[in-house]
Amino acid sequence: MKFDVEKLMNGLRSYIDKTISTDKELLVKTIESQAAVINELKLKVDELESTESVFEIDESQITDIINKLLLDTQTMPDINFEFDGERTLSVTVNDQVKTFEIPAQIYQGVHIENEEYHKGDTVTHQGALWHCKQITTEKPGQSEHWQLAVKSGRK
């Protein structure tokens, strides 16, 4: 799985630009002046990608990096990060919230009837692996919300 740090940082810059209209030039200059910190984050993500297929986002480290970027500014916005531990990262600047969905397949085990599954979830059902295309509580093979990923073998 590839996680594009530059795309995330550009999205954060754009979001912060739109959210904080006062003194945004100073904020952008501060972020750009911290290119070394951003590159350090990119190197860490590259290291994770080269050694593991799944990695966790440590929201406290991201918050520390953003706070370090904003340390010299006069206007200190209230920035918070929340990570649901699976695929959703929410960034709150002051009272504005932006949510980023990280595209990831997550194996949820054997399908459980009436359980809610989300886009990207994969389950085993009747010996086959199924990929969820949208939120559903329906059974794999009986709904267009599921796509067969690996067919069961001969019995």
Side-chain angles (χ1 to χ4, degrees):
M1 178 173 80
K2 289 290 182 191
F3 183 70
D4 192 340
V5 174
E6 289 180 35
K7 188 173 181 180
L8 175 63
M9 292 307 294
N10 287 336
L12 288 172
R13 281 188 190 118
S14 174
Y15 175 63
I16 290 170
D17 281 348
K18 291 175 186 173
T19 305
I20 305 169
S21 58
T22 59
D23 212 6
K24 69 180 178 184
E25 286 182 18
L26 179 60
L27 182 62
V28 170
K29 285 180 185 176
T30 302
I31 290 172
E32 290 172 350
S33 72
Q34 298 296 322
V37 175
I38 294 169
N39 286 333
E40 185 181 319
L41 176 62
K42 182 176 181 352
L43 289 173
K44 182 64 176 172
V45 169
D46 289 345
E47 178 186 326
L48 288 169
E49 288 176 344
S50 69
T51 58
E52 300 192 26
S53 61
V54 178
F55 61 93
E56 295 180 22
I57 294 176
D58 184 345
E59 62 190 68
S60 64
Q61 286 181 344
I62 293 175
T63 302
D64 289 345
I65 290 169
I66 296 297
N67 287 335
K68 184 176 180 182
L69 294 173
L70 300 174
L71 189 61
D72 296 330
T73 65
Q74 298 295 324
T75 308
M76 286 294 287
D78 181 27
I79 299 177
N80 290 310
F81 293 89
E82 289 184 35
F83 180 58
D84 71 353
E86 290 191 341
R87 56 173 76 93
T88 305
L89 173 66
S90 296
V91 181
T92 304
V93 178
N94 296 330
D95 291 327
Q96 302 279 329
V97 178
K98 178 70 176 179
T99 301
F100 298 92
E101 292 288 325
I102 300 169
Q105 285 189 23
I106 300 173
Y107 180 66
Q108 299 293 348
V110 176
H111 180 266
I112 299 171
E113 195 168 339
N114 298 321
E115 181 84 13
E116 183 175 86
Y117 294 96
H118 297 265
K119 182 178 179 179
D121 286 344
T122 58
V123 299
T124 305
H125 180 69
Q126 295 181 339
L129 182 69
W130 294 85
H131 177 261
C132 184
K133 300 190 303 186
Q134 67 186 62
I135 294 176
T136 186
T137 57
E138 297 179 34
K139 285 184 182 179
Q142 299 177 358
S143 164
E144 64 187 35
H145 300 156
W146 291 96
Q147 181 171 356
L148 180 62
V150 179
K151 189 175 180 178
S152 62
R154 292 184 179 163
K155 296 181 182 184

